[in-house]
Amino acid sequence: MHKTGKTELRKQYSAWRMQLSLPDQHRLLAGMAGHFMQLPLPGVQHVLSYRAMPQRHEVDMRCFEALLVEAQPEVAFCYPQANFATGTMEAVADNDALEWAEVSFGLVQPGAGQVVPPQQLQLVFVPLLAFDQKGYRLGYGKGFYDKYLARCSPRVLKVGFSWFDALDALPDIHAFDLPLDYCITPDRLYVF
């Protein structure tokens, strides 16, 4: 078991991400794109993606969205709308009515729009700071995704993207923590 707590790991991985220059990120994305293309994603119609926070050097999902559209032109995306007052999240369809708003922490999310039922999703791109060899992820600590994923179909594919390879094990895994099915790094595709 890893001896560092989640708070310390969040600080450590956030600092490591901030050391990555934009050219570094572009170079790493190229490796990640190749691994993404190895995912078995037949017939995916509804995908929950997210808008990365560039100021936090998150992995930019637009690259993977474009690859998915190229392979499956009929795919429909939706984006998370977090309610910080209730600690809940909904998926909002990307359509002509979608309006974006900047909220807490520089997060950009839909301000209003058509809610997509969680059971309708086949694929969720899950943000993370770090992950371990069993597919458990370290997020920002608010639990939005774990609560939301519990409402999705048990067959939904959960894919994370990380600049860094897996830790041996994350500390303090709880019963409500849901592991990823896959995680993509510049060096490999992890399958859990």
Side-chain angles (χ1 to χ4, degrees):
M1 183 60 85
H2 203 285
K3 301 224 187 284
T4 306
K6 286 184 176 179
T7 300
E8 292 80 17
L9 284 171
R10 283 187 184 97
K11 289 178 187 174
Q12 182 179 40
Y13 276 83
S14 293
W16 287 346
R17 282 199 327 199
M18 295 309 292
Q19 293 174 6
L20 294 171
S21 68
L22 194 55
D24 289 337
Q25 293 174 51
H26 289 164
R27 180 179 48 78
L28 296 172
L29 272 174
M32 295 172 85
H35 298 304
F36 180 77
M37 297 308 293
Q38 297 174 17
L39 285 177
L41 301 175
V44 170
Q45 296 175 332
H46 295 94
V47 179
L48 177 61
S49 187
Y50 62 91
R51 285 291 169 251
M53 292 184 280
Q55 72 277 17
R56 291 191 176 194
H57 292 203
E58 288 185 328
V59 177
D60 191 343
M61 293 297 99
R62 292 176 298 180
C63 168
F64 306 103
E65 290 171 10
L67 290 170
L68 192 53
V69 167
E70 188 176 310
Q72 301 183 45
E74 299 302 315
V75 69
F77 291 97
C78 52
Y79 297 93
Q81 181 187 64
N83 183 325
F84 288 89
T86 62
T88 59
M89 185 174 96
E90 295 295 341
V92 176
D94 184 9
N95 57 31
D96 292 337
L98 183 66
E99 296 179 10
W100 293 92
E102 186 171 331
V103 294
S104 301
F105 316 110
L107 176 66
V108 176
Q109 68 176 18
Q114 175 191 351
V115 173
V116 176
Q119 292 285 326
Q120 198 170 338
L121 300 172
Q122 289 97 22
L123 174 62
V124 177
F125 293 165
V126 186
L128 56 85
L129 284 163
F131 70 104
D132 71 13
Q133 295 284 349
K134 292 184 179 178
Y136 290 103
R137 59 180 270 281
L138 178 69
Y140 289 107
K142 302 294 184 197
F144 286 108
Y145 274 84
D146 287 316
K147 288 181 237 177
Y148 186 80
L149 290 169
R151 296 169 49 207
C152 293
S153 164
R155 294 179 307 281
V156 71
L157 293 177
K158 301 169 293 298
V159 180
F161 300 82
S162 177
W163 299 124
F164 310 105
D165 286 327
L167 292 162
D168 289 335
L170 283 171
D172 306 321
I173 299 300
H174 300 284
F176 56 82
D177 290 332
L178 297 172
L180 300 167
D181 297 296
Y182 302 97
C183 194
I184 296 169
T185 71
D187 295 327
R188 66 179 278 199
L189 169 63
Y190 289 82
V191 180
F192 305 108

